[in-house]
Amino acid sequence: PDVDNKYWFIFSETLMSFTYDRDTNKFNFKVELEFDRTTQWDGARTTRTRDIIFKDGYMYFCFDKIGGFVKVNKENPKDYVQLLSNFKNINEIPIVYVLGEDGDLYYLTGDTNLYVLNLDVTEEELAQAQAVQDAISLISDTVTLADRDAINAARQAWDALAPANQPYVNNYQKLVDAEVELLKYRVDALGETITLDQEQELKDIGNDYRALKLSQRMQINYLKVSKAESQMSILVAGRLVEQIDA
């Protein structure tokens, strides 16, 4: 129960409450909020916990039907905000979440990753997160070299966002996937014959490749990158010899 001795629970797409009247020995049930079914996510109904966290007049819980966390005003339940909706599969769904002593919400997912959600986020911070999300949305669904500027701008926006507010960006995976796709095109664009004009681009490709996770690296034609780096080493050595002779 909450501090008013009202009990809250989630049933299907509905947030409900009830109180117990000791004098009449009756339970009084009330439908507090029915979530819009059109906001359901594409995955299966997989949330393995229905715990409700109470803090500063609000309730927080993970609602599987929209695949994310919800913030509900306890005094006016119809006033709710969807905090997160970026869970894509069963392994990303929280299996347990608790309120930490620092006031943040900690949740453990099925893939054994621990995340922190800042519950004291301000409207300004949410707006900043939304701006990053909007920047990522500008990336084409089918990535080409023409998306390079949009991808770089989205990456800069993400890196500038406070880590505590990054979970509020719901489409970050799109940026990650786009960067891998862009790197594939950049590698293909190197061509078979390397020139000194490509020196900086080749360095950047090498750095971006080494920054990838192992599963992402497997998508890149590293043999071509390695061959290009070998050719560039010869060209750079030749340039150095010319500079010495001059």
Side-chain angles (χ1 to χ4, degrees), residues 190 193-200 202 228 231-232 235:
L190 288 174
T193 303
I194 301 300
T195 67
L196 283 170
D197 292 338
Q198 296 171 292
E199 182 179 8
Q200 187 58 53
L202 187 55
Q231 291 182 33
M232 184 60 69
L235 292 175

Side-chain angles (χ1 to χ4, degrees), residues 5 7 19 41 56 59 61 85 135 137 170 195 218:
N5 207 34
Y7 291 78
T19 56
W41 68 312
D56 300 332
M59 296 178 290
F61 52 88
S85 61
S137 297
N170 297 333
T195 67
M218 295 175 65

Side-chain angles (χ1 to χ4, degrees), residues 35-42 63 65-67 80 82 85:
F35 290 96
D36 183 357
R37 295 191 180 199
T38 62
T39 62
Q40 295 179 19
W41 68 312
D42 293 332
F63 188 58
K65 287 295 182 179
I66 55 176
Y80 76 96
Q82 185 176 336
S85 61

Side-chain angles (χ1 to χ4, degrees), residues 138-166:
L138 294 176
I139 301 172
S140 303
D141 292 334
T142 303
V143 175
T144 66
L145 286 173
D147 291 292
R148 185 167 185 171
D149 288 343
I151 292 172
N152 290 339
R155 168 54 63 183
Q156 292 174 4
W158 169 267
D159 291 342
L161 187 65
N165 299 326
Q166 288 176 348

Side-chain angles (χ1 to χ4, degrees), residues 151 155 172 174-184:
I151 292 172
R155 168 54 63 183
Y172 176 64
K174 179 179 181 179
L175 171 59
V176 174
D177 294 341
E179 288 175 325
V180 175
E181 289 300 313
L182 177 62
L183 188 55
K184 292 179 185 178

Side-chain angles (χ1 to χ4, degrees), residues 41 43-48 86-96 107-115:
W41 68 312
R45 180 177 173 183
T46 52
T47 298
R48 284 162 260 179
N86 54 349
F87 307 132
K88 293 186 176 181
N89 58 62
I90 188 172
N91 289 326
E92 296 180 0
I93 296 295
I95 57 177
V96 63
Y107 63 95
L108 182 70
T109 59
D111 52 11
T112 68
N113 287 323
L114 179 65
Y115 297 92

Side-chain angles (χ1 to χ4, degrees), residues 16-29:
M16 302 187 68
S17 70
F18 71 88
T19 56
Y20 174 63
D21 189 331
R22 293 182 180 274
D23 295 332
T24 61
N25 194 30
K26 290 184 178 180
F27 292 93
N28 300 306
F29 289 87

